[in-house]
Amino acid sequence: MSNNDVYDELGVPTVVNASGTKTRIGGSLIRKEALQAMNQAAESFVRLSDLQAAASDRIADATGAEAGYVTNGAASALLLGTAACIAGSDPGVMSQLPDTKDIPSEVVMPRTHRTGYDHAIRGSGATISDIGSNDRRIGTGSSDVEPWEYANAIGEETVAVAHIYKDYATPNLAKVCEIAHDHDVPVIVDAAAELPPIENLSWFTEQGADLVAFSGGKAVRGPQSTGFLAGRRDLIESVAFQHLDMHAAPEIWDPPERLVDTNKIDGVPEQGIGRPLKVGKEELVGLLTALDLFIEEDHEATRTKWRRRADSIAAALGEVDVLSTSIDDSKKSVTPTVIVDVDESLAPVTTAELLLALKQEKPRVFVGADDLADQRFTVNPMCLSAKEVDYVVDRIRANVRGDSAAVTDGGPDVDEQNG
Ligand SMILES: *Cc1c(COP(=O)(O)O)cnc(C)c1O
């Protein structure tokens, strides 16, 4: 039985997560070691700028970028990174943001890269200038965006080019960086969910990206509220100026030189646009600990374990006559994922009814629902322990018969950490 007194006391049912690292159900489970490190971090005061300087060195080592910074999620990394591209080392602009009246603040971005997350980019005060078309989707044979469209769009008002990484995006990131750099404009990459593979820690920087935003609360399995930026030293410096609470009399202002060069800025920055995006010392230490462990992890073995679980889930669900299963194990997918097709002409329930019923289980069961319109759902083994796999299979089998009462013992032991 899955017990969690903290949630029980609040009357909040727990969730068995068969959908991967989804923020709305808590992302991933933080690594035990990261949690222990957070407990220790909670026992002393420390100057946050010193901690960010140490984090910068660690992130630089891990990514090959010049510098790094721990943020409040990848979304906040995008906001802070954009603010850095707008303000540079100008304290006047820093204090004006998010008001960008009379300040260059345009971010060039292909239409096909737009997502709900680019609200974070706009949160800095930037406006997004869309380029390209959706023609590929309507089958004209053209691509999403042509190299010349980038060059054409970058002008006096442009402060950055944004790129939401997907392996099918053309032109590729290296080409985009080349065009942007020809125009002296930095490239910000949203790579929030692009780990693993581990090589991606440095790949975006190698392609020429100036700032890369990663999530710390997904497969890295750091604190759910964390993320990090890897990138150019001057831009990270601007992030620090706009994020840290630095306000002090100039005579006694001495932030770590490794992080910021006080000679570059005319005065002490006040609380900036990043102030609502505070990162605690505990979260910061937790993220760095998790990142270390993520780097050391045997990713081949982890993937093999996930594949085994996916295989057993696919086999067990495939036995149900109204379900057919296959596995998406393409190189670029973070996890081998089970695709389950529901034959609604024969099943006593629709796919939507099945998924709703699974959410009503105790504990709740969340599967992937992105392809609901195709009478399809997915089971992602990434956040499931072995016992939870059995529970999920059992609940799907019972509910697809419209017979949710056919229960085992009402839930698995959640005794195994699994990211
Ligand atoms: C998850 C995600 C984000 C947000 O990451 P957080 O760490 O939750 O802030 C941004 N962009 C993309 C593409 C994502 O998948």
Side-chain angles (χ1 to χ4, degrees):
M1 183 64 197
S2 162
N3 277 319
N4 190 321
D5 291 344
V6 176
Y7 296 124
D8 279 353
E9 224 165 89
L10 293 166
V12 175
T14 54
V15 171
V16 170
N17 178 3
S19 63
T21 54
K22 293 277 188 281
T23 298
R24 76 199 65 154
I25 50 171
S28 55
L29 293 186
I30 187 171
R31 294 172 196 267
K32 282 202 183 83
E33 299 88 338
L35 209 47
Q36 281 157 6
M38 289 174 78
N39 275 328
Q40 257 187 300
E43 286 176 12
S44 309
F45 292 97
V46 67
R47 193 169 63 167
L48 267 298
S49 54
D50 288 336
L51 210 44
Q52 286 286 9
S56 178
D57 293 347
R58 290 281 194 95
I59 294 167
D61 275 351
T63 61
E66 288 173 4
Y69 200 87
V70 179
T71 63
N72 189 347
S76 128
L78 293 172
L79 190 156
L80 290 167
T82 310
C85 295
I86 297 172
S89 57
D90 186 332
V93 176
M94 288 178 195
S95 89
Q96 192 177 318
L97 293 184
D99 173 4
T100 47
K101 191 167 178 299
D102 301 327
I103 296 171
S105 52
E106 230 174 64
V107 174
V108 168
M109 191 171 179
R111 280 194 171 74
T112 50
H113 288 220
R114 298 289 306 265
T115 73
Y117 291 112
D118 59 49
H119 203 147
I121 292 174
R122 293 186 285 121
S124 66
T127 45
I128 293 176
S129 167
D130 288 322
I131 55 172
S133 71
N134 190 39
D135 285 358
R136 179 153 75 175
R137 281 291 193 90
I138 58 171
T140 62
S142 80
S143 66
D144 294 332
V145 58
E146 297 295 332
W148 60 261
E149 293 183 280
Y150 280 96
N152 222 26
I154 298 172
E156 290 294 303
E157 300 300 310
T158 310
V159 294
V161 167
H163 188 89
I164 309 306
Y165 180 74
K166 284 291 157 209
D167 62 328
Y168 51 76
T170 58
N172 66 24
L173 179 58
K175 182 71 187 167
V176 172
C177 292
E178 188 190 312
I179 301 166
H181 294 164
D182 278 349
H183 293 77
D184 275 333
V185 167
V187 176
I188 304 174
V189 178
D190 179 352
E194 301 305 317
L195 297 172
I198 189 86
E199 297 76 29
N200 276 359
L201 273 172
S202 55
W203 189 83
F204 303 98
T205 301
E206 285 158 15
Q207 304 311 301
D210 300 271
L211 283 171
V212 188
F214 293 104
S215 187
K218 292 179 177 169
V220 173
R221 291 174 58 205
Q224 181 39 202
S225 61
T226 58
F228 57 103
L229 271 170
R232 251 167 54 189
R233 179 168 297 285
D234 62 316
L235 293 172
I236 295 295
E237 195 167 62
S238 178
V239 166
F241 283 139
Q242 298 185 76
H243 183 246
L244 291 172
D245 218 327
M246 294 201 177
H247 212 176
E251 309 89 278
I252 57 164
W253 187 45
D254 69 335
E257 281 171 36
R258 282 148 68 213
L259 186 66
V260 293
D261 179 355
T262 54
N263 297 315
K264 269 204 199 153
I265 188 160
D266 191 12
V268 183
E270 301 180 348
Q271 279 80 357
I273 183 115
R275 183 59 182 79
L277 310 172
K278 181 158 74 178
V279 177
K281 55 193 180 306
E282 299 83 3
E283 283 81 11
L284 198 153
V285 166
L287 182 271
L288 292 182
T289 306
L291 184 58
D292 268 355
L293 291 163
F294 175 74
I295 291 166
E296 287 165 18
E297 197 176 313
D298 182 346
H299 292 275
E300 222 24 70
T302 304
R303 199 172 173 102
T304 305
K305 183 178 79 182
W306 287 340
R307 175 67 205 225
R308 244 191 354 256
R309 291 203 178 144
D311 284 337
S312 81
I313 294 164
L317 294 180
E319 283 172 14
V320 180
D321 50 8
V322 297
L323 301 180
S324 53
T325 57
S326 57
I327 291 178
D328 174 14
D329 197 3
S330 52
K331 261 223 155 60
K332 279 285 174 181
S333 69
V334 170
T335 334
T337 302
V338 185
I339 299 168
V340 188
D341 287 294
V342 182
D343 184 347
E344 291 194 359
S345 66
L346 295 175
V349 292
T350 65
T351 316
E353 285 166 348
L354 170 62
L355 268 48
L356 272 176
L358 289 171
K359 283 191 188 179
Q360 301 309 318
E361 288 286 345
K362 287 185 182 127
R364 300 183 189 280
V365 175
F366 273 61
V367 295
D370 293 349
D371 301 318
L372 193 58
D374 296 329
Q375 304 174 14
R376 170 179 282 186
F377 66 93
T378 55
V379 179
N380 184 323
M382 182 177 190
C383 299
L384 292 174
S385 69
K387 281 184 179 152
E388 287 173 330
V389 164
D390 294 341
Y391 174 70
V392 168
V393 166
D394 179 74
R395 292 296 82 207
I396 292 171
R397 290 174 67 132
N399 282 287
V400 82
R401 292 194 301 262
D403 177 20
S404 64
V407 205
T408 51
D409 61 357
D413 289 317
V414 186
D415 56 356
E416 193 184 333
Q417 286 250 333
N418 237 301

